[in-house]
Amino acid sequence: MLKHINKLLVFLLLVACQDPEQALKDAELKISTEAMKEYIIELGSDAYQGRKPFSEGEELSIKYLQKCYKAIGLEPANGDSYLQKVPLVMVKGQVKTPFEISTAHTSLSLDSSNEFVAFSRQMAPELELNASEMVFVGYGIIAPEYNWNDYANLDVKGKTVVVLVNDPGLDSGRDDFFTGNAMTYYGRWTYKYEEAARQGAEAVFIIHDDKGAGYPWSVVVNSAAVAKVYPESANKYADRCKVEGWIHQSKARELFSAMELNLDALIVKAKKNTGKGFALPAKANLSLTNSWKKDVSHNVMGMIKGTDLADEYLFYSAHWDHLGIGKKIDGDSIYNGTVDNGTSLAWMMEIAKAFKTMPQAPRRTVVFFAPTAEESGLNGSGYYADHPIFPIHKTVANINNDLMLPFGRCKDVMVTGYGKSDLDDILKTEAAKQNRYILPDPNAHTGMYYRSDHFSFARVGIPALFARGNNDHREKGTAYMSEKEQYWINNCYHKPNDEYEDWWDLTGVEEDAKLLFRVGWHIANTDVYPQWKDGSEFKAIRAKQFE
C-alpha cells in the first residue's frame, strides 16, 4: 500500500511541475508521417513475403517489431520476452473435383474459384461429399433473444446446408430488428460455419453477395487460395463440418432455378421469418484433399509500466500478419498487406513513441500488442484473450486499428461499433479538440466490428474501441473518400496491389495517432473503468467479472 502511495505522490508531483496540455502537445510532435512511412515501407516490402505466419516472413516481421519496440524503449510484456507463443495449425486444401449438384431434372457442375470455393478445417487427408442431401436453412441463425431459429424442425445431420450471408436485419428498415443494417455476429461467416457444425451438418455453403458480405467475390477467392491457419484442436476439428465454403450468387440463382425455386423470393421470406427452411431436391458431390502442419506463431508485445495503477492495463493493438504468397495476379503473387495492416502498425508505433516522450509514465500500464494470424480469424488476439498474460478483469480497455487508408486527413472519426461503450464519449471529447465529429460506421452491414482484433477483447468483456478517419476528407469531402475507399477495396484489398505508393498521404493516419494517443493517455491516467453501455451484448460478461 505504501509503495502505491509513494508512486502516486511522485506522479502528482511531476504533474504539478508542468503544464499537462503542453506536455501532450510536445509528445504529439513526435508523431510524424515520415517515421510512419519508414515502418510501412519496410513491413510492406517484398522481402517480408506478405508476412504469413509460419514463414520466413514471420521471422523477419517479429524480429523487426522487437527491434522497433526496443528502439522506442518499450519493456517486454511477457516476462523477459516480447513474444507470446501461439500454437496453430496450418491447413492447405485442394479441391480435386468440380462441385457437382444433381437435381431431379439436371446436373450442375460448379467451377472452383469462379463459381464456388471450398475448404475444410478437418485434419484428414481426403474429404468427400457423396450424394449429400442438401437443405436450405435461410440465414442459418439460432438467436433466442430475437425469437429466431432457422434450424427449427429441420434435420441437417450428415447433410449439406445452404445459407444466406449476413442477417435478417439488413435492409429491413427496422433498427430494432436484430440491429438493423449493422451486422450482428450472427451474420458473420464464422458464426454460420460454427452453427452448421453444432447442428451436425457435414457441409455448409454461404451464398455470397457483395453487399451482404461487405466485400467482392474476389476477396473470397483470394482468401480461399492460401493455406488457412487455425488454433490447434485436440480432436483435429472432427467437430467441424467436413466442408465449408461459398457459392457465387449468380450460380446459386441458377441452382435454385433448376429446382424451380426463386432465390429472391426465398430471401424475402427468410428475412421476414415467414419462410421456413426445407430440404432441397438436390444432392452434392465434391472431394478435397488436405495437408497440414502444426507450428508456433507469435504475438509481439511491449509495454510501458504504470505507476500507482501498474496492475491495471490499457491495450493498443494492430495485427502484424497478412496473406503471404498466393494466387498470382498481374504477375505478382506477394500479398504485401501494406495498408492491411502496415499503416495501423505504424499508427501504434508512433503512439508508443508519444507515450515514451511524456515526462512521466502513465498511472496504468500500457501494452502495445501486435497479434498474429488476424487474417485467418483473429487467432492471435483470440489466443491471448483465452490465455491472457495480464488479468482480464484488470484490463480496462483496448484501442485497436486495422486498415487505415492513406488518403489524407478527415473531418470524421468513424467508429465501428458505435454506441457500445463509454470509450465513444472519451473519443468524442478529444475529437472535438481536433475540430472533428464522430461518425457511426455507415457500412456497419459489413460486420467489421467482428472482423478485427478488438472483438477478441470485447468477447471476453473488455471495452474495445475501433476508430479512425475514413469518410469525410477535410478538403475533398465525402464523395472523394467514398470513391477512394471503394477503389481500394475492389483493387487492393487482399490482393498483391496492397503496396506502398509514393503519392500516399499519411497525414490522416498521423492525425488519428495523435487523437488516439490522447484518448489512451486519458484512460491510462484515471482510476475509472470504462463501461459497456446498456444494450451491448458484452455488458453482462464484464459485470460477472466484478461480482
Side-chain angles (χ1 to χ4, degrees):
M1 182 68 178
L2 182 60
K3 181 180 177 182
H4 281 187
I5 291 173
N6 288 337
K7 285 184 176 180
L8 178 59
L9 288 173
V10 170
F11 177 85
L12 293 174
L13 182 62
L14 285 167
V15 170
C17 293
Q18 61 187 299
D19 178 357
E21 178 60 27
Q22 188 59 51
L24 288 168
K25 289 180 178 179
D26 291 344
E28 284 181 324
L29 293 175
K30 298 297 182 180
I31 297 174
S32 76
T33 57
E34 288 305 309
M36 287 180 175
K37 188 185 296 185
E38 291 183 20
Y39 295 123
I40 291 167
I41 290 174
E42 178 69 20
L43 287 164
S45 72
D46 283 355
Y48 286 75
Q49 301 174 19
R51 303 193 306 277
K52 181 82 173 179
F54 297 177
S55 71
E56 182 182 347
E58 165 160 4
E59 292 301 315
L60 291 170
S61 297
I62 64 176
K63 285 180 182 178
Y64 177 71
L65 292 173
Q66 290 176 88
K67 177 184 175 181
C68 293
Y69 281 9
K70 290 176 184 176
I72 292 169
L74 302 183
E75 298 178 41
N78 189 12
D80 60 357
S81 177
Y82 289 105
L83 304 179
Q84 180 189 35
K85 293 181 178 179
V86 181
L88 298 170
V89 59
M90 181 177 288
V91 180
K92 186 175 184 179
Q94 184 175 358
V95 176
K96 300 300 291 184
T97 64
F99 187 14
E100 300 283 354
I101 302 176
S102 58
T103 70
H105 304 294
T106 188
S107 179
L108 295 177
S109 179
L110 279 67
D111 178 54
S112 180
S113 295
N114 291 327
E115 298 171 339
F116 83 99
V117 299
F119 35 85
S120 178
R121 288 193 183 214
Q122 289 192 12
M123 295 160 66
E126 296 183 0
L127 302 124
E128 186 176 44
L129 301 180
N130 186 9
S132 177
E133 297 179 34
M134 301 182 72
V135 184
F136 176 67
V137 196
Y139 285 94
I141 291 171
I142 298 177
E145 66 273 36
Y146 298 113
N147 192 29
W148 194 279
N149 187 347
D150 285 320
Y151 284 95
N153 303 315
L154 289 177
D155 176 14
V156 300
K157 290 181 180 178
K159 300 176 182 178
T160 295
V161 300
V162 180
V163 301
L164 302 171
V165 73
N166 215 297
D167 65 45
L170 181 63
D171 293 331
S172 66
R174 291 175 49 192
D175 291 340
D176 61 341
F177 181 49
F178 282 72
T179 50
N181 282 340
M183 186 194 291
T184 64
Y185 184 65
Y186 294 116
R188 290 285 291 134
W189 57 266
T190 48
Y191 167 79
K192 294 174 191 292
Y193 291 164
E194 292 161 359
E195 191 59 58
R198 284 190 286 266
Q199 298 300 315
E202 73 168 341
V204 51
F205 286 89
I206 301 171
I207 298 173
H208 177 271
D209 74 75
D210 288 2
K211 182 177 182 180
Y215 37 77
W217 178 250
S218 61
V219 173
V220 175
V221 172
N222 293 339
S223 298
V226 298
K228 294 187 175 295
V229 180
Y230 306 114
E232 280 194 12
S233 168
N235 67 3
K236 298 184 177 181
Y237 287 107
D239 57 341
R240 294 293 293 242
C241 294
K242 188 184 296 183
V243 178
E244 300 171 343
W246 294 77
I247 299 176
H248 193 282
Q249 189 179 57
S250 64
K251 203 63 182 180
R253 291 184 194 281
E254 184 179 341
L255 169 63
F256 278 77
S257 180
M259 295 181 286
E260 300 181 350
L261 295 168
N262 185 304
L263 179 58
D264 291 327
L266 290 174
I267 292 172
V268 171
K269 289 182 178 180
K271 193 176 294 291
K272 294 181 178 178
N273 207 17
T274 57
K276 303 298 181 184
F278 57 91
L280 293 168
K283 294 183 179 180
N285 296 276
L286 180 66
S287 65
L288 313 174
T289 59
N290 262 354
S291 60
W292 60 90
K293 70 171 183 176
K294 295 181 180 180
D295 209 331
V296 173
S297 188
H298 301 84
N299 294 328
V300 188
M301 307 173 62
M303 69 178 186
I304 299 171
K305 196 167 185 179
T307 54
D308 62 306
L309 298 178
D311 63 344
E312 297 178 2
Y313 305 89
L314 165 66
F315 270 65
Y316 283 91
S317 58
H319 71 87
W320 64 256
D321 68 298
H322 202 243
L323 300 179
I325 298 174
K327 178 183 177 183
K328 187 174 285 189
I329 299 176
D330 296 330
D332 191 356
S333 61
I334 298 177
Y335 290 62
N336 303 78
T338 310
V339 167
D340 186 12
N341 198 32
T343 51
S344 300
L345 286 166
W347 163 89
M348 185 173 72
M349 291 294 187
E350 290 298 278
I351 290 173
K353 190 188 299 181
F355 266 92
K356 285 297 293 182
T357 300
M358 292 296 286
Q360 74 279 342
R363 296 180 67 193
R364 287 170 166 154
T365 296
V366 183
V367 181
F368 298 89
F369 179 52
T372 182
E374 187 271 353
E375 297 292 1
S376 54
L378 317 184
N379 289 309
S381 59
Y383 183 84
Y384 178 85
D386 296 331
H387 304 84
I389 293 170
F390 306 113
I392 293 296
H393 73 285
K394 287 281 193 175
T395 303
V396 300
N398 165 241
I399 301 173
N400 178 65
N401 244 309
D402 198 346
L403 203 157
M404 302 180 78
L405 296 173
F407 302 135
R409 298 165 64 220
C410 289
K411 297 177 186 177
D412 70 295
V413 184
M414 185 185 76
V415 180
T416 300
Y418 178 76
K420 291 185 180 293
S421 80
D422 294 345
L423 297 173
D424 296 345
D425 304 323
I426 300 170
L427 179 69
K428 184 176 182 180
T429 297
E430 296 299 333
K433 297 174 184 177
Q434 290 186 338
N435 194 28
R436 300 174 72 185
Y437 65 91
I438 301 301
L439 176 71
D441 187 350
N443 296 306
H445 65 279
T446 65
M448 195 66 185
Y449 194 80
Y450 308 97
R451 289 168 52 186
S452 192
D453 291 302
H454 58 279
F455 177 60
S456 295
F457 289 87
R459 70 171 174 80
V460 295
I462 299 166
L465 178 67
F466 180 19
R468 69 249 195 245
N470 197 81
N471 289 78
D472 189 359
H473 194 276
R474 282 195 183 266
E475 287 82 36
K476 300 176 183 177
T478 56
Y480 172 83
M481 283 302 294
S482 178
E483 178 186 346
K484 285 289 189 181
E485 180 182 27
Q486 198 58 51
Y487 176 87
W488 191 86
I489 290 171
N490 291 339
N491 295 279
C492 305
Y493 179 52
H494 285 192
K495 291 184 175 72
N497 281 349
D498 186 4
E499 297 181 297
Y500 178 76
E501 301 279 355
D502 288 337
W503 56 261
W504 279 13
D505 182 350
L506 295 169
T507 56
V509 182
E510 175 188 327
E511 191 166 45
D512 286 344
K514 292 175 178 178
L515 171 62
L516 275 304
F517 159 61
R518 282 181 173 263
V519 170
W521 183 256
H522 173 91
I523 296 166
N525 288 287
T526 178
D527 55 6
V528 175
Y529 272 61
Q531 299 295 316
W532 293 107
K533 291 183 181 290
D534 290 342
S536 166
E537 62 265 54
F538 310 111
K539 187 178 178 68
I541 299 171
R542 190 61 156 178
K544 288 181 181 179
Q545 296 169 4
F546 293 92
E547 287 179 351

